[in-house]
Amino acid sequence: MSLLTTSGLTKRFGGLVAVNSVDLRIEENETLGVIGPNGSGKTTLFNLLSGFFPPTAGRIFFQGRDVTHLSPEERVKMGMVRTFQLVSVFNSLKVWENLVPCVAWHSGMYHSLWRFMTTPAANTWADSLEALKLVGLEGQAEAVAGELSYGDRRLLEIALALSLRPKLLLLDEPFSGLSDVEIAKVLALLKSLKGKITIGIIEHKISMIVDFVDRLCVMNEGRIICEGNPSEVLTNPLVNECYWGKQEILERAGVSGV
Ligand code: ADP
Ligand code: MG
């Protein structure tokens, strides 16, 4: 049984169909890449999966359970956790405090992932430090989060997601806005997680993830137009014709000599 499946998942915004009858599956401990041009519906798809938008039609199943109408918080409790295209951390709190929801709670703040929670999760300092060690930020535990580099804030956001013990981690463009050095750090972290938890990762630039993912889904105009292992997808004529054009897709994949 797949960890996650959707059937006929659709989201309309007025006349625009942002996600159009998507049948998606993600297998347990798989790393799935979701690629596609700007506006193709990738973020909307993750917003539907994580419960931030209700779908117009279709169903979402997680571990065989219909979660279509569950709140984001209920999905987080089941192990469905996401990060955001723009880094989402508590800039005014210390780094370690970011990972202890009750600190944020008592400071009158809430994270998007916690916003529907009635009782904050009881993470402790020890849990927080463990998560920081995992992402290599333990030396900056006492720093104010807003003073970290953008790349370190991305690592903190991933630590925050990991502290919620995800079974499925959905990452929306985790490399966007990062320098090459920062990208290498985040990629090394994600590689250390690969195979241990299930990962769904949106990325605009295929070359970033082509060697990292097990399978790729290509979205265009709200639909999945192609899926398969990365080499199949990169050579699929449908992708090349309907979408980027061969030259561009190969260049994006870092394939030289074409
Ligand atoms: P991607 O992440 O692939 O760049 P999005 O999922 O953000 O694409 O957007 C898909 C389409 O849905 C775009 O045309 C976008 O303008 C539209 N869209 C996304 N979110 C909203 C919203 N909250 N309200 C109206 N239109 C939206
Ligand atoms: Mg997006």
Side-chain angles (χ1 to χ4, degrees):
M1 186 177 66
S2 301
L3 183 67
L4 178 128
T5 54
T6 71
S7 70
L9 197 62
T10 299
K11 182 67 183 178
R12 286 178 184 275
F13 295 110
L16 175 89
V17 190
V19 171
N20 194 348
S21 204
V22 163
D23 297 332
L24 178 77
R25 67 183 166 83
I26 310 182
E27 306 299 338
E28 187 128 25
N29 293 335
E30 174 181 47
T31 298
L32 174 75
V34 179
I35 59 172
N38 272 334
S40 57
K42 305 180 299 296
T43 295
T44 305
L45 176 64
F46 275 24
N47 280 332
L48 294 174
L49 299 182
S50 54
F52 282 75
F53 291 158
T56 310
R59 305 232 147 251
I60 304 165
F61 296 89
F62 184 69
Q63 295 185 303
R65 181 174 163 197
D66 188 340
V67 299
T68 314
H69 300 295
L70 293 189
S71 68
E73 182 260 330
E74 286 170 305
R75 293 182 214 209
V76 168
K77 277 191 199 155
M78 290 180 69
M80 303 172 75
V81 179
R82 56 89 55 92
T83 64
F84 296 83
Q85 201 163 336
L86 292 174
V87 164
S88 185
V89 297
F90 300 111
N91 284 326
S92 59
L93 293 183
K94 289 183 179 179
V95 167
W96 74 268
E97 290 173 336
N98 265 266
L99 299 167
V100 183
C102 53
V103 172
W105 210 257
H106 289 132
S107 313
M109 296 181 219
Y110 57 76
H111 190 273
S112 315
L113 290 177
W114 307 330
R115 65 180 167 178
F116 297 107
M117 280 189 176
T118 47
T119 51
N123 283 13
T124 62
W125 157 254
D127 294 331
S128 166
L129 200 61
E130 193 186 314
L132 288 177
K133 274 188 189 152
L134 194 65
V135 302
L137 284 179
E138 72 275 20
Q140 302 190 69
E142 290 291 339
V144 175
E147 289 170 6
L148 297 183
S149 67
Y150 193 72
D152 282 347
R153 277 187 287 149
R154 176 63 81 190
L155 289 168
L156 177 58
E157 187 193 29
I158 296 174
L160 196 154
L162 292 174
S163 74
L164 296 166
R165 299 196 170 83
K167 294 190 180 85
L168 172 63
L169 178 61
L170 297 170
L171 303 157
D172 191 353
E173 296 205 28
F175 309 119
S176 76
L178 270 54
S179 69
D180 289 349
V181 174
E182 292 172 332
I183 288 171
K185 270 203 224 174
V186 173
L187 193 57
L189 169 64
L190 298 182
K191 282 183 174 164
S192 76
L193 299 173
K194 185 175 156 77
K196 294 182 187 147
I197 57 172
T198 310
I199 300 174
I201 179 169
I202 293 176
E203 180 49 53
H204 191 65
K205 220 173 158 195
I206 308 172
S207 58
M208 291 291 173
I209 57 165
V210 71
D211 296 328
F212 168 60
V213 297
D214 301 314
R215 197 157 58 88
L216 276 174
C217 273
V218 185
M219 288 191 77
N220 194 28
E221 297 179 354
R223 291 182 183 275
I224 293 179
I225 60 161
C226 170
E227 62 181 295
N229 71 44
S231 56
E232 278 167 8
V233 166
L234 292 176
T235 53
N236 184 309
L238 189 68
V239 175
N240 293 328
E241 283 163 25
C242 299
Y243 192 6
W244 285 315
K246 193 175 182 187
Q247 186 67 30
E248 191 177 355
I249 194 170
L250 291 175
E251 278 171 6
R252 280 167 190 259
V255 179
S256 57
V258 289

